[in-house]
Amino acid sequence: MKRLCMVAVVLGGLVAGCRHAAEEDDPGSVQPVVDVQVDTVRVATLRERVQVTGSTRALRQETIGAPVAGRVAHLAALEGDVVQAGALVAQVETEESAAAVRGAERLVGDATTEEERVRAGADVERARTLRTLLDVRAPFDGVVAVRHLHEGEWVAAGAPLVTVVDLGSLVFVARVPPRFLSRIHPPQDADIRFPAWPGRAFRARVESAAPAVDLASQAVEVRLRFVDRATPLRVDLFGAADVVVDVHANVLCVPRRALRRDDETGACTVVEAVGDSLGVVRAVTAGVETDSLIQITGPTVRRGMRLVGVGAHGLPDSTRLRVTDAP
């Protein structure tokens, strides 16, 4: 009888040992510990923005035409030149004056004797002295944007010579889809960015909106005025404006990395770090979003709540955690 008991004990130990070895060999029998970083639900003021595209435009620009028919005798300002109001930008010689000079020069070529050449040369000097040149001056302080002709070319009366732009009158004209019109209005703030100026935002304010919808683009032109008039921008620069359409003060929010969004259903969840060792999935509702933060609401959301940030995606409920960093 004692021998039978001893055999039973030995067999029981062997069975228990085999079960323990089997559990160690089964990777699903022990829940792994996941290293994560956590974020804290905080209170902040979030600015809701709508992005629209457009380009710069000068409200004050003028194309200066030739005062009379004649020849462009002189261009005093070229593209990119800064001019002051009243500064000389061009001179146009009248047709009669130019014809008198050409006629005198032709006589020099036709002269056959020295006396004729001397007399023709004197006529040329007299014609040049009596030239009729009409000055063309800048109407305001600005920059020469376009030079339409070259020196020596003939022009008709009123033909364009140069276009002067007042860069101080530069605005941003955005093309706004009708669905955003009820949300965009003066004097909302905006940040405008241009591919030509990477990493820089230009502050502006909504100034006005056109009364009609453009039939071709089905958009409405909305004008934004730059806060700083002295900008390095130029006309017809394409850009994008982020218009602040609403301000949400004292809302609960977290970094965007802490929110999990189902691409198919749109449902949002977060993983709360309970203590330092357990991750519990909580359903939340996402609200206003910025580049870095997102508003969340829900019955379990509270200020100071610790949520898994780095490592949250794909974690099932009740995951064992090891917090490695708590910013």
Side-chain angles (χ1 to χ4, degrees):
M1 185 66 177
K2 185 180 297 184
R3 183 178 298 174
L4 289 175
C5 291
M6 186 176 296
V7 171
V9 170
V10 172
L11 289 175
L14 290 174
V15 171
C18 291
R19 185 184 300 114
H20 181 67
E23 289 177 353
E24 288 182 345
D25 293 338
D26 183 8
S29 62
V30 178
Q31 187 178 18
V33 177
V34 180
D35 291 336
V36 297
Q37 297 177 9
V38 299
D39 298 299
T40 303
V41 175
R42 69 197 71 174
V43 175
T45 297
L46 302 184
R47 288 168 173 79
E48 187 177 357
R49 299 172 182 265
V50 168
Q51 187 176 91
V52 290
T53 59
S55 58
T56 55
R57 185 181 302 175
L59 296 182
R60 192 182 187 195
Q61 69 177 40
E62 184 174 333
T63 298
I64 309 171
V68 293
R71 186 179 67 89
V72 180
H74 177 54
L75 282 175
L78 304 178
E79 293 92 340
D81 288 350
V82 177
V83 295
Q84 305 296 320
L88 182 69
V89 296
Q91 287 182 317
V92 177
E93 183 179 12
T94 64
E95 285 185 331
E96 295 79 4
S97 175
V101 173
R102 289 202 314 275
E105 290 172 344
R106 189 178 300 112
L107 289 176
V108 174
D110 294 340
T112 57
T113 66
E114 184 64 24
E115 182 180 357
E116 289 178 349
R117 281 193 289 271
V118 171
R119 187 182 307 114
D123 290 339
V124 171
E125 291 300 322
R126 186 180 306 106
R128 289 176 178 174
T129 303
L130 297 176
R131 289 172 70 192
T132 303
L133 298 175
L134 299 181
D135 294 340
V136 178
R137 299 186 179 277
F140 47 77
D141 295 349
V143 177
V144 176
V146 182
R147 172 173 52 92
H148 299 277
L149 293 170
H150 300 276
E151 285 188 2
E153 290 191 72
W154 291 87
V155 294
L161 295 175
V162 295
T163 298
V164 179
V165 175
D166 178 10
L167 293 181
S169 70
L170 209 63
V171 296
F172 184 82
V173 178
R175 291 174 289 276
V176 179
R179 68 180 184 276
F180 291 147
L181 282 179
S182 62
R183 309 204 65 192
I184 296 179
H185 52 78
Q188 291 168 330
D189 292 329
D191 289 327
I192 306 177
R193 293 175 172 82
F194 300 91
W197 296 91
R200 181 172 178 180
F202 296 85
R203 294 178 56 217
R205 290 192 179 93
V206 177
E207 189 172 68
S208 65
V213 177
D214 181 73
L215 292 178
S217 63
Q218 283 299 296
V220 175
E221 289 191 345
V222 174
R223 186 170 69 244
L224 289 81
R225 178 81 66 170
F226 291 100
V227 174
D228 183 6
R229 300 296 179 90
T231 68
L233 302 174
R234 292 296 183 265
V235 180
D236 295 331
L237 273 179
F238 176 81
D242 291 319
V243 183
V244 180
V245 296
D246 203 352
V247 178
H248 302 265
N250 301 322
V251 297
L252 296 176
C253 57
V254 293
R256 296 173 64 92
R257 64 184 183 180
L259 183 74
R260 311 193 306 179
R261 198 191 307 265
D262 190 306
D263 294 335
E264 294 183 358
T265 65
C268 296
T269 58
V270 294
V271 178
E272 181 182 4
V274 179
D276 289 329
S277 61
L278 187 64
V280 179
V281 176
R282 309 286 193 190
V284 297
T285 300
V288 183
E289 299 184 33
T290 68
D291 292 338
S292 58
L293 298 175
I294 184 167
Q295 177 189 9
I296 59 171
T297 58
T300 61
V301 177
R302 63 192 182 280
R303 182 175 184 174
M305 183 178 181
R306 299 167 68 246
L307 303 180
V308 176
V310 176
H313 292 279
L315 287 183
D317 192 25
S318 301
T319 300
R320 295 175 60 194
L321 307 177
R322 180 189 297 113
V323 178
T324 59
D325 184 20

